[in-house]
Amino acid sequence: MTRYSTRIRDDHMVAVRFSSLGDVVLTTGVLLHRHALRGTEFTVVTRSAFAPVFEGNPAVREVIGLTDEELHGQGQAMAFRMIVDKYRNSPLLDLHRNLRSAMLARSWKDAIICYRKMAFARRVFLMSGGRWFGDALRSLNIPQRYAAGLYGPQEIPSAEELRPRIFLSEAEKSSARERLAPLRNKGRIAAIHPFAAHAAKTWPAESWMRLAAALEAQGISCLWLGRGDDFTGAGEPASLINKTDLRELSAVLAESDILITGDSGPMHLATAAGTPVLALFGPTTREWGFFPSGERDRVLECSLPCRPCSLHGSARCPRGNACTGGISMESVLGNALEMLGL
């Protein structure tokens, strides 16, 4: 629920989103839109690991990055007390709406503005096998749900207006170009992110390797990215798995011609960096609001009656991950080549 004071200050707000990477990235377009429209500047409260997402963002005055110690027990109590004492006279934009953000908000003095989480609609949609609330869920993606508390029902900006953005310095771009020069000299670069928070959200390693071989046969260099077991056997610069921080990952994505990935945080980073995304969606669907929103982004999915199977993606699937596995390598390859203009 949104709690308003008599007069909402619009020059400064405190925006809260603790995790995860993709969700944090999706806040950036919302803050930028409000800044462009009203001149609002934001203090962002997030996990320290995600603070680099906001570097260079003109809408962000300050980022408070909290460590694990500052998000548990006495450490959290002290960190929240400091934030409340310093900023409670500014509106709080709660873009998380969980127990932790509620604990931060409980002593807030000014307006508390919450994002439209649509939790009830999502659960009913899931339990009804998609028979209820589908239109409502499809009408707003996650950035629009974030923005809903800031605008009237008829004033919520379009998905395009709220598209995420990440701002890279010239030094970061130059470093990425130098790092990828051996691949760029051969032609186009297809970045591949083969990891996901849940196994059902991505192909098995063998499928990714088949795709990479097919792309290489077309003269396209493959760039492996992300964090996980490096099963590629490739060295640098072809494999940067476990070898980039968040800003470096964003920069090499910006220098790539396409990103091929499952439903993941780097998917949204690529959109924010302006790189076309070819996303493979399995257990999660459009109704959850996380489809990439770039003009050239594409989503591949299988139409199965069991989708979506959960709110966030299950660890196990009784059908052997049929939704993701049903996306053929030929389909992914064909769409990737088309997106690359080949």
Side-chain angles (χ1 to χ4, degrees), residues 318-333:
R319 301 185 63 176
N321 297 342
C323 56
T324 309
I327 302 172
S328 70
M329 191 278 290
E330 291 75 17
S331 175
V332 179
L333 177 64

Side-chain angles (χ1 to χ4, degrees), residues 69-70 72-81:
E69 291 76 14
E70 291 172 316
H72 293 90
Q74 187 62 27
Q76 178 175 281
M78 293 175 63
F80 282 9
R81 189 178 304 117

Side-chain angles (χ1 to χ4, degrees), residues 11-323:
D11 60 322
H12 176 258
M13 293 185 181
V14 177
V16 178
R17 181 74 214 197
F18 297 111
S19 62
S20 56
L21 175 60
D23 304 88
V24 172
V25 172
L26 291 177
T27 69
T28 58
V30 179
L31 307 187
L32 281 166
H33 184 274
R34 191 70 175 188
H35 179 69
L37 184 68
R38 301 284 182 84
T40 311
E41 293 184 336
F42 293 88
T43 292
V44 176
V45 180
T46 188
R47 286 184 177 270
S48 58
F50 305 131
V53 166
F54 301 98
E55 287 182 23
N57 190 316
V60 178
R61 177 189 298 178
E62 177 188 11
V63 181
I64 300 175
L66 301 178
T67 64
D68 286 342
E69 291 76 14
E70 291 172 316
L71 287 169
H72 293 90
Q74 187 62 27
Q76 178 175 281
M78 293 175 63
F80 282 9
R81 189 178 304 117
M82 179 276 292
I83 295 169
V84 170
D85 288 346
K86 187 173 182 180
Y87 295 109
R88 62 180 175 180
N89 291 321
S90 292
L92 177 70
L93 180 59
D94 184 352
L95 300 178
H96 207 133
R97 284 194 69 184
N98 67 350
L99 178 60
R100 180 171 281 134
S101 65
M103 292 175 67
L104 175 62
R106 64 182 179 177
S107 301
W108 214 261
K109 180 179 179 181
D110 208 310
I112 299 173
I113 306 167
C114 296
Y115 102 85
R116 188 176 174 185
K117 204 164 186 176
M118 303 182 78
F120 177 77
R122 287 186 291 123
R123 282 169 171 78
V124 173
F125 180 84
L126 181 64
M127 291 186 293
S128 68
R131 291 187 296 274
W132 298 92
F133 291 108
D135 288 343
L137 289 167
R138 287 187 292 272
S139 70
L140 299 174
N141 70 0
I142 293 299
Q144 289 176 298
R145 297 175 200 179
Y146 285 158
L150 292 168
Y151 304 93
Q154 307 305 317
E155 301 172 332
I156 298 174
S158 67
E160 291 74 21
E161 292 175 290
L162 300 176
R163 188 172 294 144
R165 288 280 306 280
I166 192 160
F167 293 84
L168 298 166
S169 69
E170 289 304 317
E172 289 171 323
K173 295 176 185 177
S174 177
S175 177
R177 282 194 294 269
E178 182 177 346
R179 201 169 187 177
L180 301 188
L183 302 181
R184 177 58 71 197
N185 291 339
K186 299 177 184 178
R188 291 178 174 84
I189 299 173
I192 298 177
H193 178 263
F195 307 109
H198 301 281
K201 287 187 174 184
T202 189
W203 274 354
E206 295 79 9
S207 297
W208 289 112
M209 293 299 289
R210 286 181 59 226
L211 174 65
L215 288 168
E216 296 278 359
Q218 296 288 332
I220 301 165
S221 295
C222 292
L223 171 65
W224 299 90
L225 299 170
R227 296 204 169 272
D229 294 332
D230 190 348
F231 54 81
T232 67
E236 290 192 45
S239 175
L240 296 181
I241 292 174
N242 301 320
K243 296 175 182 176
T244 58
D245 62 25
L246 196 154
R247 299 291 298 183
E248 291 169 335
L249 174 60
S250 301
V252 296
L253 283 171
E255 292 300 320
S256 301
D257 297 297
I258 189 175
L259 171 68
I260 308 172
T261 181
D263 177 8
S264 66
M267 173 184 72
H268 297 300
L269 270 182
T271 297
T275 299
V277 172
L278 179 58
L280 285 57
F281 269 67
T284 49
T285 61
R286 180 181 293 277
E287 287 78 11
W288 281 190
F290 289 102
F291 273 21
S293 60
E295 293 180 2
R296 297 171 290 171
D297 295 349
R298 294 188 187 184
V299 171
L300 298 180
E301 54 187 336
C302 282
S303 180
L304 294 175
C306 54
R307 297 178 65 236
C309 62
S310 67
L311 291 176
H312 305 290
S314 300
R316 297 179 181 178
C317 172
R319 301 185 63 176
N321 297 342
C323 56

